[in-house]
Amino acid sequence: MKVIIVGGVAGGASCAARLRRLDEKAEILMVERGPYVSYANCGLPYHVSGVIADEANLLVATEAMFRAVFGVEVRTNCEAIAIDRAAKTVSLRNVLTGEASVEPYDALVLSPGAAPVRPPLPGIDLPGIFSVRTVPDARHIREWLHQHEAPKTGMDSYTGFQTVTKPQRAVVVGGGFIGLEMVENLAHLGLEVTLVEKLNQVMPPLDPEMARLVENYLVKHGVNVQLNDGVAGFRQCPDGTIEVLTASGKNHPADVVILAIGVRPETALAKAAGLEIGARGGIRVDEQMRTSDPDILAVGDAVEVKDFVTGQWTLIPLAGPANRQGRIAADVIAGRDSRFRGTQGTSICKIFEGEIGQTGPSEKVLRAAGVTDFEKVYLYQNSHAGYYPGAKMLAVKVLFRKSDGRFLGAQVLGEDGVAKRIDAFAMAIQMGATIYDLEEAELCYAPPFGSAKDPVNFAGMVAGNLLRGDMPIVHWDGTGDGLLLDVRNPAELAVESVPGAVHIPLPQLRARLGELPRDREIHVICRSAVRAYYATRILLQNGFNARNISGGMLARSHRA
Amino acid sequence: MKVIIVGGVAGGASCAARLRRLDEKAEILMVERGPYVSYANCGLPYHVSGVIADEANLLVATEAMFRAVFGVEVRTNCEAIAIDRAAKTVSLRNVLTGEASVEPYDALVLSPGAAPVRPPLPGIDLPGIFSVRTVPDARHIREWLHQHEAPKTGMDSYTGFQTVTKPQRAVVVGGGFIGLEMVENLAHLGLEVTLVEKLNQVMPPLDPEMARLVENYLVKHGVNVQLNDGVAGFRQCPDGTIEVLTASGKNHPADVVILAIGVRPETALAKAAGLEIGARGGIRVDEQMRTSDPDILAVGDAVEVKDFVTGQWTLIPLAGPANRQGRIAADVIAGRDSRFRGTQGTSICKIFEGEIGQTGPSEKVLRAAGVTDFEKVYLYQNSHAGYYPGAKMLAVKVLFRKSDGRFLGAQVLGEDGVAKRIDAFAMAIQMGATIYDLEEAELCYAPPFGSAKDPVNFAGMVAGNLLRGDMPIVHWDGTGDGLLLDVRNPAELAVESVPGAVHIPLPQLRARLGELPRDREIHVICRSAVRAYYATRILLQNGFNARNISGGMLARSHRA
């Protein structure tokens, strides 16, 4: 049996290694268009800044290792240019020498990945404009920054003259994972960074109100965040710098530009071969990663996958699923009945000290999928016991089914402990947990790591209080007709108050119930909706019609 | 309805607050023997060292808050001395004034906690010997250390004479959670610490070979670890210091001694009232936290709970379950059908930079419960992508059912990312996941947080390889008759080799199969059992009888 694998990074490399373990006799040929196989594309932004100092560290497994350990024939700088499905052959071409060959296959695995989107804008090919996909890309950015290094700040130690400080300015176009990671790493190098994003939010997988927190955080760290403004073109200035022109007519000067607008599945080869392409633009595969031609499988960023929760086709260009798909493709070729269970879109992104985590669909994805049987709650909890140093607030949005409590998705932001919660949430979704299961989760606790009631438990409790009818809630955009009752302390109101709200501090509430109307819905406010929950319980049991405003003032602070 | 709650810390305080939320009219009296309610006993070791500087930070909720916000009558320094079940009354006594009263109840909740074990050893009441249970305990240790502060190291800036350095020496008796946390915090203060442990391992919930890693780590951090040696008594020296005498005849000088031998459920009140006590010495309760008297419930460290996995009664004195039990007791009193699902013993303990995490039963607990249908694997994976700075090795032991792959328990040790994995594992156990589910878990990954194949995935894959028959394994204690085949590189063998092992580096294996016997089991060695897995696959497919030695050289380094 001869297996050809097109693409030697995450999915392809996983497939090759797994297939060899399953079948010592198969002839395996892995071709990769670039100069390296199995490199750490997730590490590229950190190599640009030198956080990952040595380029060699990005090479997870070398060509030599694939040959020696896995007995896999590797051809780098080798592009697959055509598939003859009838003849079961692939035409290959060396991108450096132009040398061509035709290789027969019994099974073919496509793992070409996804290419950075490069719209045909005026000036897009100017020097100094980069995408971040390959090891050479990172190398070119490093070289560019080094060549264009600005004079250092401060006194010249020899002449005594003060040198003129000219910090480098970067424009990052696109505020997704790679865009944000590039923002951090360029800022780490001391550049002034402008982030230009066409949408009304950064981090498109997040719901907009959660993205608001990220935007505020970027601004706090000195990033110039420009939303709702796409790039119209690029212009080279006489001094060699670039002007980034936007749709709204703005003009952002830059010494370097990073394009991180998103990625598009590499489907040219598959399309030309007549393989089915899905509506989202990825190669269509079944649960066993088979394309519409059963002898051709496809994995990784190039394929469409099913959202595990909504069942809808989606594109999730992430390394974890790509690796698992590669493994599954190898299993299937080796005659095993492995299946891909779909994706939850579980992700995390570091931005400065912040962590942005998500698993399961967002509210907007649920709405786009036509799901109406869901509710959401917001909560704000310490990352670990508040009395132990270093606790940070986690902002959590939880989505769940109203009808049966099934837990659907979570978004968690903060500067500590996000990954811990996302992984618990991710496992819960995978196993079909309800928010009642979250209430009862027994997670690890010691003061440096969590709380006796973990934010994951709180998420379940808040949702459970809602579904059991113990705590009707309302969101800030639904408070129109209610009487706003603020139960915070006077000192808190001095900092920020809500126009029109009645103020009764929680400890006085029982004694002052007579001041509240019985013919009107009361919407209770506190800082994080915990005290407002206590107040809501007091009110409900005293015959009032009360609702807690989910997330309280903290949720108000980042409304979309 | 009048409810009396005996004990105002984790379980009791949770119960009181929850009950008020469910029932605005109930009369709730919470009595606490100590001077504080709802204090952070988990924070006490960190207050001793000043990591938590302010004692007030340990008070999570005050007496005043319970009165004002929850309308709960609180009596501190108030001990419950007897229960009259027929009359449904509790006799109370103020421990400061001796004032006595009798209070009727409709429902009674016992949350007395567990007391530090203080065996009747000679000298145990000497000044300078402390337990760590209450806020005053921590205060007394701080005061003692301050009073007995040693002269500072270095030159006296006034006289110019060098002062004699006399570091304080601490002996911690008992190597469980509190013992280890006290070791860290005393070392943090600059004390020389000796840890005396009667058992053959520290951290009794861990299996001994995993505890070995902790012991090595303590030694590396300068702790004098004395295992297999119980304390025989204490003696005061003429200079005021204490000698800790051990069963083996050793003598450890100390300026301060911490007793952390373990805790024993406080059952005197329950026993005297004739309530059923379990075989493990805790108050027996049903799933609804009811004792043998349906009007009396009990929660927290004083009760026996069912191990979620084995179904056996056990004692788990941890804050998380105590809080949930308090909540459940309140629900039950309010007429709700809440049930405690048992405990997984999920825990984490910080020791210096290390993190010790566990969820589900250990191997020794499984064996003690008569479970034979299980297997274990060891793995050693980076806490996050190795190419991103700060990655640390995680040592992972995974237990699972052989018959159906059900995931049973995990122990994880390392200096980074332990909590993330324990919480994923904990949720998996709760939801009845198999090791096949672990393989497919979609956990959050970016280079600072994990790997595309997370250690949790690897745990599932290693176990799955075993159960699918792809990778027979053997443990180090079972390698007796096999031929040892070491597939590491020559440079690695130069550092440490295994006597009697044949050496064929993995890349040469296919070419040198002729050197290996076909009539003998081959046990394959590498550093962490990954390359040995590849080798095992090559051997099996070439007709050899091969097994991977689980965990490789790394597992060998901490055999029990």
Side-chain angles (χ1 to χ4, degrees):
Chain A
M1 178 170 65
K2 177 161 179 177
V3 180
I4 299 179
I5 299 170
V6 176
V9 194
S14 283
C15 182
R18 171 78 175 161
L19 184 58
R20 173 56 71 225
R21 292 196 293 271
L22 298 179
D23 185 350
E24 187 63 18
K25 305 296 177 205
E27 190 183 341
I28 307 174
L29 168 62
M30 182 165 79
V31 302
E32 164 59 40
R33 183 167 44 186
Y36 304 110
V37 294
S38 200
Y39 64 87
N41 36 16
C42 304
L44 297 174
Y46 302 97
H47 181 48
V48 167
S49 65
V51 166
I52 299 172
D54 192 350
E55 189 180 282
N57 285 341
L58 296 173
L59 307 178
V60 177
T62 60
E63 221 175 301
M65 182 185 161
F66 268 95
R67 287 207 185 88
V69 172
F70 297 114
V72 169
E73 188 191 342
V74 178
R75 293 190 207 164
T76 50
N77 300 307
C78 179
E79 190 170 19
I81 51 174
I83 303 167
D84 184 334
R85 289 166 51 191
K88 296 181 74 171
T89 61
V90 180
S91 298
L92 303 173
R93 185 177 57 195
N94 185 301
V95 296
L96 303 181
T97 65
E99 195 186 341
S101 62
V102 175
E103 293 282 347
Y105 65 80
D106 297 297
L108 174 65
V109 179
L110 302 180
S111 180
V117 173
R118 284 180 76 91
L121 296 168
I124 195 161
D125 293 321
L126 284 172
I129 302 179
F130 300 94
S131 297
V132 188
R133 186 189 190 190
T134 65
V135 173
D137 286 343
R139 188 187 305 150
H140 296 327
I141 300 171
R142 280 169 71 95
E143 287 167 356
W144 178 268
L145 291 172
H146 184 69
Q147 286 156 16
H148 295 73
E149 216 160 358
K152 292 286 182 291
T153 317
M155 301 292 276
D156 183 309
S157 63
Y158 180 66
T159 64
F161 289 115
Q162 188 159 358
T163 58
V164 177
T165 305
K166 183 181 153 250
Q168 285 182 282
R169 296 149 307 178
V171 172
V172 175
V173 184
F177 292 98
I178 294 172
L180 290 190
E181 288 175 346
M182 285 307 300
V183 164
E184 171 185 324
N185 282 286
L186 291 168
H188 182 81
L189 286 172
L191 278 77
E192 287 180 2
V193 183
T194 296
L195 175 63
V196 177
E197 169 59 59
K198 192 177 185 174
L199 302 177
N200 66 344
Q201 65 166 92
V202 298
M203 279 303 266
L206 290 178
D207 283 319
E209 76 282 16
M210 300 305 281
R212 218 47 89 228
L213 284 169
V214 180
E215 291 145 25
N216 298 345
Y217 189 77
L218 289 167
V219 170
K220 198 179 113 192
H221 282 75
V223 179
N224 176 11
V225 179
Q226 299 284 326
L227 299 180
N228 296 303
D229 203 7
V231 170
F234 306 90
R235 192 162 55 199
Q236 192 156 32
C237 301
D239 66 352
T241 59
I242 300 161
E243 284 181 339
V244 180
L245 313 171
T246 69
S248 76
K250 285 188 186 157
N251 174 350
H252 302 289
D255 299 290
V256 63
V257 176
I258 305 296
L259 289 180
I261 310 179
V263 295
R264 191 169 288 147
E266 293 255 28
T267 54
L269 185 67
K271 269 185 190 157
L275 298 177
E276 188 184 350
I277 304 293
R280 307 293 296 266
I283 302 170
R284 174 58 48 89
V285 291
D286 65 12
E287 288 176 325
Q288 298 204 304
M289 311 316 297
R290 290 188 200 275
T291 67
S292 51
D293 179 333
D295 295 323
I296 305 178
L297 295 84
V299 303
D301 296 359
V303 307
E304 291 187 6
V305 289
K306 284 221 171 143
D307 182 307
F308 180 74
V309 173
T310 68
Q312 307 251 321
W313 289 107
T314 183
L315 292 168
I316 300 282
L318 292 172
N323 274 277
R324 279 195 299 288
Q325 291 161 14
R327 198 177 152 88
I328 288 166
D331 282 4
V332 169
I333 291 169
R336 300 193 174 198
D337 188 30
S338 295
R339 285 161 197 276
F340 187 65
R341 66 177 182 86
T343 180
Q344 299 170 209
T346 308
S347 67
I348 190 162
C349 181
K350 176 177 181 293
I351 176 71
F352 302 114
E353 298 308 305
E355 305 167 5
I356 306 165
Q358 183 168 8
T359 185
S362 62
E363 180 178 351
K364 61 188 177 186
V365 163
L366 289 176
R367 291 190 189 281
V371 178
T372 55
D373 176 16
F374 76 91
E375 182 52 281
K376 61 183 171 185
V377 293
Y378 299 91
L379 57 146
Y380 303 86
Q381 290 283 321
N382 272 327
S383 59
H384 61 245
Y387 55 81
Y388 187 88
K392 305 281 182 176
M393 192 186 72
L394 294 170
V396 184
K397 177 177 184 176
V398 177
L399 296 151
F400 51 97
R401 264 195 223 142
K402 261 154 95 168
S403 56
D404 62 2
R406 178 75 166 259
F407 172 52
L408 301 175
Q411 295 161 56
V412 183
L413 281 75
E415 291 190 313
D416 177 52
V418 169
K420 178 182 194 285
R421 277 66 193 209
I422 288 295
D423 280 7
F425 282 135
M427 185 61 76
I429 291 175
Q430 178 184 353
M431 298 305 297
T434 63
I435 51 101
Y436 309 111
D437 294 314
L438 298 183
E439 285 185 299
E440 295 183 14
E442 192 179 318
L443 305 174
C444 64
Y445 159 60
F449 304 100
S451 297
K453 289 179 187 129
D454 192 88
V456 170
N457 299 128
F458 262 102
M461 289 176 189
V462 172
N465 288 340
L466 172 60
L467 291 190
R468 280 187 289 260
D470 290 336
M471 183 186 71
I473 66 167
V474 61
H475 297 290
W476 277 105
D477 57 9
T479 56
D481 297 330
L483 172 83
L484 294 171
L485 169 64
D486 194 327
V487 298
R488 292 179 298 156
N489 298 327
E492 296 174 87
L493 270 83
V495 178
E496 190 191 11
S497 61
V498 179
V502 170
H503 180 221
I504 303 178
L506 176 60
Q508 301 174 14
L509 184 60
R510 286 187 183 87
R512 294 176 58 185
L513 292 174
E515 300 174 29
L516 294 169
R518 294 192 172 270
D519 57 351
R520 217 176 141 192
E521 202 166 78
I522 300 171
H523 296 161
V524 191
I525 304 167
C526 71
R527 177 172 177 271
S528 69
V530 173
R531 283 169 295 170
Y533 163 50
Y534 302 160
T536 302
R537 292 301 305 157
I538 293 171
L539 293 170
L540 290 173
Q541 293 185 66
N542 281 284
F544 293 89
N545 184 2
R547 289 178 183 274
N548 188 355
I549 302 186
S550 184
M553 294 300 287
L554 288 168
R556 188 170 186 266
S557 72
H558 63 98
R559 286 177 294 175
Chain B
M1 177 170 66
K2 176 160 178 178
V3 180
I4 299 179
I5 299 170
V6 176
V9 195
S14 284
C15 182
R18 171 78 175 160
L19 184 58
R20 173 57 71 225
R21 292 196 294 270
L22 297 180
D23 185 349
E24 188 62 17
K25 305 296 176 206
E27 189 183 343
I28 306 174
L29 167 63
M30 181 166 78
V31 301
E32 164 58 40
R33 183 167 43 186
Y36 304 110
V37 294
S38 199
Y39 63 88
N41 37 16
C42 304
L44 297 174
Y46 301 97
H47 181 49
V48 167
S49 65
V51 166
I52 298 172
D54 191 352
E55 188 180 281
N57 285 341
L58 296 173
L59 307 178
V60 176
T62 59
E63 222 176 301
M65 180 183 162
F66 268 94
R67 287 207 185 86
V69 173
F70 297 114
V72 169
E73 187 191 344
V74 178
R75 294 190 206 162
T76 51
N77 299 307
C78 179
E79 189 169 21
I81 50 174
I83 303 167
D84 183 334
R85 289 166 51 192
K88 294 180 76 171
T89 61
V90 181
S91 298
L92 303 174
R93 184 177 56 195
N94 185 300
V95 296
L96 303 180
T97 65
E99 194 188 342
S101 63
V102 174
E103 293 282 346
Y105 65 80
D106 296 298
L108 174 65
V109 179
L110 302 179
S111 181
V117 173
R118 285 180 74 92
L121 296 168
I124 195 159
D125 293 320
L126 284 172
I129 302 178
F130 300 93
S131 297
V132 188
R133 186 189 189 189
T134 64
V135 173
D137 286 343
R139 189 188 304 150
H140 296 327
I141 300 171
R142 280 169 72 94
E143 288 168 356
W144 177 268
L145 291 172
H146 184 69
Q147 286 157 16
H148 295 74
E149 215 160 358
K152 292 286 181 292
T153 318
M155 301 291 277
D156 182 310
S157 63
Y158 180 67
T159 64
F161 290 115
Q162 186 159 0
T163 59
V164 177
T165 306
K166 183 183 155 249
Q168 284 182 284
R169 296 150 305 176
V171 172
V172 174
V173 184
F177 293 97
I178 294 172
L180 290 190
E181 289 175 348
M182 285 306 302
V183 164
E184 172 185 325
N185 281 287
L186 291 168
H188 183 80
L189 287 172
L191 279 77
E192 286 180 2
V193 184
T194 296
L195 175 63
V196 176
E197 169 59 58
K198 191 177 186 175
L199 302 177
N200 67 344
Q201 66 166 89
V202 298
M203 279 303 267
L206 290 179
D207 282 319
E209 77 281 17
M210 300 305 281
R212 218 46 91 228
L213 284 169
V214 180
E215 291 145 23
N216 297 344
Y217 189 77
L218 290 167
V219 169
K220 198 179 113 191
H221 281 75
V223 179
N224 177 11
V225 180
Q226 299 284 326
L227 299 179
N228 297 303
D229 203 7
V231 170
F234 305 90
R235 192 161 54 197
Q236 192 155 32
C237 300
D239 66 352
T241 59
I242 300 161
E243 285 181 340
V244 180
L245 313 171
T246 70
S248 76
K250 285 187 186 157
N251 174 350
H252 303 289
D255 299 290
V256 63
V257 176
I258 304 296
L259 289 182
I261 309 179
V263 295
R264 193 169 287 149
E266 294 255 27
T267 53
L269 185 67
K271 268 186 193 159
L275 299 177
E276 189 184 347
I277 304 294
R280 308 292 296 266
I283 302 171
R284 174 58 49 89
V285 291
D286 65 13
E287 288 176 325
Q288 298 204 303
M289 311 315 297
R290 290 189 200 275
T291 67
S292 52
D293 179 332
D295 295 322
I296 305 178
L297 294 83
V299 302
D301 295 359
V303 307
E304 291 188 6
V305 289
K306 284 222 171 142
D307 182 307
F308 180 74
V309 173
T310 67
Q312 308 251 321
W313 289 107
T314 183
L315 292 168
I316 301 282
L318 292 172
N323 275 277
R324 279 196 298 289
Q325 291 161 13
R327 199 176 151 88
I328 289 167
D331 282 4
V332 170
I333 291 169
R336 299 192 173 200
D337 188 30
S338 295
R339 286 161 196 277
F340 187 65
R341 67 176 181 85
T343 179
Q344 299 171 208
T346 308
S347 67
I348 190 163
C349 181
K350 176 177 181 294
I351 176 72
F352 302 114
E353 298 308 304
E355 305 167 4
I356 306 164
Q358 183 167 8
T359 185
S362 62
E363 180 177 350
K364 63 187 175 186
V365 162
L366 289 176
R367 290 190 189 283
V371 178
T372 55
D373 176 16
F374 76 91
E375 182 52 282
K376 61 183 170 184
V377 293
Y378 299 92
L379 56 146
Y380 304 85
Q381 290 283 319
N382 272 327
S383 59
H384 61 245
Y387 55 80
Y388 188 88
K392 305 281 183 175
M393 192 185 75
L394 294 170
V396 183
K397 177 178 184 176
V398 177
L399 296 152
F400 52 96
R401 265 196 223 140
K402 262 155 96 169
S403 56
D404 63 2
R406 178 76 167 259
F407 171 51
L408 300 175
Q411 296 161 57
V412 183
L413 281 74
E415 291 189 313
D416 177 51
V418 169
K420 177 183 195 283
R421 278 65 194 209
I422 287 296
D423 279 7
F425 283 136
M427 185 61 77
I429 291 174
Q430 177 185 353
M431 298 305 297
T434 64
I435 51 100
Y436 309 111
D437 294 314
L438 298 183
E439 285 185 300
E440 295 183 14
E442 193 180 318
L443 305 174
C444 64
Y445 159 58
F449 304 101
S451 297
K453 290 180 187 126
D454 192 88
V456 169
N457 299 127
F458 262 102
M461 289 175 189
V462 172
N465 287 339
L466 172 60
L467 291 190
R468 280 188 288 260
D470 290 337
M471 183 185 72
I473 66 166
V474 61
H475 296 290
W476 277 105
D477 56 9
T479 56
D481 297 331
L483 173 83
L484 294 172
L485 170 63
D486 194 328
V487 298
R488 291 178 299 157
N489 298 327
E492 296 174 86
L493 270 83
V495 178
E496 190 193 10
S497 61
V498 179
V502 170
H503 179 223
I504 303 178
L506 177 60
Q508 301 174 15
L509 184 59
R510 286 187 183 88
R512 294 175 60 183
L513 291 173
E515 300 174 28
L516 294 168
R518 294 192 172 271
D519 56 351
R520 217 175 140 192
E521 203 166 75
I522 300 172
H523 296 160
V524 191
I525 305 167
C526 72
R527 177 171 176 272
S528 70
V530 173
R531 284 170 294 171
Y533 164 50
Y534 302 160
T536 301
R537 292 300 304 157
I538 293 171
L539 292 170
L540 290 173
Q541 293 186 67
N542 281 284
F544 292 89
N545 183 2
R547 290 178 181 275
N548 189 354
I549 302 185
S550 184
M553 294 301 286
L554 288 168
R556 188 169 185 265
S557 72
H558 62 98
R559 286 176 294 175

